[in-house]
Amino acid sequence: MNLVTVDDIEAAAARIQGVAVRTPLVPCLWGDPDRPLWLKPENLQPVGAFKIRGAYNAVARLTDEQRARGVVAYSSGNHAQAVAYAAREFGIRAWIVVPEGTPQVKVDATRALGAEVVLVAAGQRETRAYEIVAERGAALIPPFDHPDVIAGQGTIGLEIVADLAEVDLVLVPVSGGGLISGVAAAMKGLRPGAQVWAVEPELAADTAASLRAGHLVSWPVEDRDRTIADGLRSQPSELTFAHQRALVDGIVTVAEDEIRDAVAVLAHRANLVAEPSGAVATAGYLHHAGELPRGRTVAVVSGGNVDPAALAALLA
């Protein structure tokens, strides 16, 4: 299986320039001196999450004829907003399929960007998305299972190396695996000595189980839906799992209370609003340091689209 390359990621960086924010690395003076910490705040993106990188790159790669028929996406929320944003930038239609129970803040934001939101029962979003593709002739922009999406997410890795050339460890949330696939491809291409570790909720730890087994291990959707990290309830694809097996150095899983604590730490000590999914990498740093390599560490804060009432409860 062909993996995304640094050349693919650099081409994506040129396409998304001026659309995705080039987020800074934020040093954290409260980090462990043995493993200095920087945060990569992707919650600062126009749609509040890293997903704009991959979505825009994928839409930009379509032909004019394909874009004229519109685009379809299925998502728990952040990819939904990213595809809606990209569609608006190109002036095309977008249909976004999201599961019932998706945080209302994400649904409202997607509609505000001009997309048609289609709500379905849990586990049905992919089926309905493919139905719309067949009905409308629109192009599917998957949330992670596509090389153009992976290459777009990988631009985060380019920026990390440019801003901290001597980085030793990058911590990345994992679910479907598009983000960590792209970041790992960039890191291993530009700084092979740096390690890339995945961080995953214990209640949706299908990636950890798959990496241990050496093949994809499926978890029932009702099990994965238990985690508060609603953006991390997907499973890897064959494509993203191939990237992870080849490029990712390790994985840790975090408990729900550890995720909640990381949301609070990011708010109080880093002045960053992170949704639970976006705080998972920081939770790994805070609560599982003994399982991780030492050295200069970057934790990707992947998003900040959290319902205000939920955020208030997390910070209380």
Side-chain angles (χ1 to χ4, degrees):
M1 186 176 294
N2 293 328
L3 304 186
V4 167
T5 68
V6 172
D7 287 345
D8 298 326
I9 297 168
E10 289 176 340
R15 289 187 202 99
I16 70 172
Q17 187 174 10
V19 177
V21 172
R22 192 195 185 290
T23 53
L25 284 186
V26 179
C28 299
L29 300 181
W30 42 268
D32 182 343
D34 289 333
R35 54 185 83 244
L37 176 65
W38 286 260
L39 300 173
K40 182 68 167 167
E42 288 295 295
N43 58 316
L44 302 181
Q45 292 294 345
V47 297
F50 74 95
K51 292 282 192 176
I52 185 61
R53 297 172 181 267
Y56 190 89
N57 186 53
V59 175
R61 291 270 287 160
L62 297 174
T63 66
D64 291 342
E65 181 181 356
Q66 288 173 314
R67 282 197 293 266
R69 293 194 294 270
V71 292
V72 179
Y74 54 88
S75 168
S76 60
N78 287 333
H79 181 64
Q81 294 175 69
V83 173
Y85 186 94
R88 189 182 71 173
E89 290 293 295
F90 282 99
I92 62 177
R93 292 191 67 180
W95 294 268
I96 312 295
V97 185
V98 301
E100 295 170 352
T102 296
Q104 193 62 40
V105 64
K106 296 182 179 181
V107 174
D108 292 343
T110 303
R111 286 190 174 125
L113 289 166
E116 180 178 335
V117 175
V118 182
L119 289 168
V120 297
Q124 298 301 310
R125 60 185 185 176
E126 292 183 42
T127 299
R128 183 60 188 132
Y130 280 103
E131 289 173 351
I132 297 171
V133 167
E135 293 164 3
R136 302 285 185 170
L140 180 69
I141 308 296
F144 50 85
D145 189 27
H146 196 287
D148 292 336
V149 173
I150 292 171
Q153 320 305 26
T155 59
I156 291 173
L158 297 184
E159 294 171 11
I160 290 172
V161 173
D163 291 348
L164 187 65
E166 298 303 310
V167 61
D168 298 303
L169 172 64
V170 180
L171 301 176
V172 186
V174 69
S175 178
L179 174 59
I180 197 166
S181 295
V183 171
M187 296 301 304
K188 296 304 182 181
L190 296 173
R191 182 163 168 73
Q195 293 202 26
V196 179
W197 280 57
V199 188
E200 185 175 45
E202 287 180 358
L203 295 185
D206 50 296
T207 298
S210 297
L211 288 171
R212 284 195 301 269
H215 58 82
L216 286 172
V217 174
S218 180
W219 280 32
V221 64
E222 57 270 21
D223 287 353
R224 290 179 276 121
D225 281 357
R226 295 174 300 166
T227 179
I228 191 175
D230 61 275
L232 301 181
R233 294 170 176 168
S234 296
Q235 298 190 106
S237 67
E238 294 285 352
L239 177 62
T240 60
F241 188 59
H243 282 78
Q244 291 177 68
R245 290 194 69 187
L247 303 171
V248 173
D249 297 286
I251 187 168
V252 293
T253 59
V254 291
E256 298 295 286
D257 284 345
E258 293 169 348
I259 298 171
R260 293 184 177 94
D261 177 62
V263 171
V265 168
L266 287 168
H268 294 308
R269 307 199 72 174
N271 298 314
L272 292 174
V273 173
E275 61 191 280
S277 303
V280 163
T282 306
Y285 174 91
L286 293 171
H287 296 283
H288 294 268
E291 301 170 50
L292 297 169
R294 294 180 182 273
R296 293 168 289 269
T297 301
V298 173
V300 177
V301 181
S302 56
N305 292 316
V306 57
D307 181 82
L311 179 62
L314 288 165
L315 299 181

